[in-house]
Amino acid sequence: MPFTLSAPVLSEQTLKKSRFIGCVEPVADRVAALARVAQLRAEHPGATHVCWALMAGGHSAANDDGEPGGTAGRPMLEVLRRQDLEGVLATVVRYYGGVPLGAGGLVRAYTDSVAQALLNADKVPVIRWQRLRCVLPYALEGWLRRELDGFGATLVEVLHGEGVDATLQVPESHTAALVARINDAGQGRVVWRDTAPD
């Protein structure tokens, strides 16, 4: 199961007079990540580099921001990948101290900055949602409303017509069990409509 972070966490280290300020934080997508990187550039106008890595499904990316290729963004991305993180941006702001670190030193500095921040991060499971829609008898509406909490599900919309047309949002991991429970209670009187992941 992938995890995300509940809040941003910072780390800071100085290596051979260079200052590295690391941060890991939850982000929704690449657009939000790029906005955050731009904000960091504005907050640290004297910084030499603002390197970053993003794990966000199909929008994962890494950027060395002028450091030698493969010494910053990609190693940072690997740290996120090994931690099974999703929807997380790692950034490291570097103030160059005048002493070269070499390629190996840079890789260690950037990966350590991210790893140190992750040590103090609160990881929370990523919940993937499924949207379900069914029509059930009026007699089951109250029962359904009471059952949803036990499955971590919510009622998104209810329409009343020939029956109760209910749209539900359910954690993917509980979908099959909830559908089976509703079908059992409905005894063949529940009609399922379109379903789609959220």
Side-chain angles (χ1 to χ4, degrees), residues 11 14-15 38 47 65-66 81 88-91 96 100 107 110 139 146 149 153 161 172 179 193-194 196:
S11 71
T14 302
L15 297 167
D65 192 36
R81 198 171 272 139
V88 173
L89 172 68
T91 55
Y96 182 59
V107 170
Y110 282 102
R146 290 187 301 276
D149 276 350
E172 255 180 23
V179 167
R193 304 288 191 209
D194 54 341

Side-chain angles (χ1 to χ4, degrees), residues 66-79:
E67 291 284 27
T71 61
R74 188 163 307 215
M76 292 164 60
L77 186 63
E78 280 306 308
V79 174

Side-chain angles (χ1 to χ4, degrees), residues 29-50:
D29 53 29
R30 188 180 178 117
V31 172
L34 292 174
R36 178 65 178 129
V37 170
Q39 180 184 4
L40 284 171
R41 287 186 205 289
E43 289 173 8
H44 298 274
T48 320
H49 307 281
V50 179

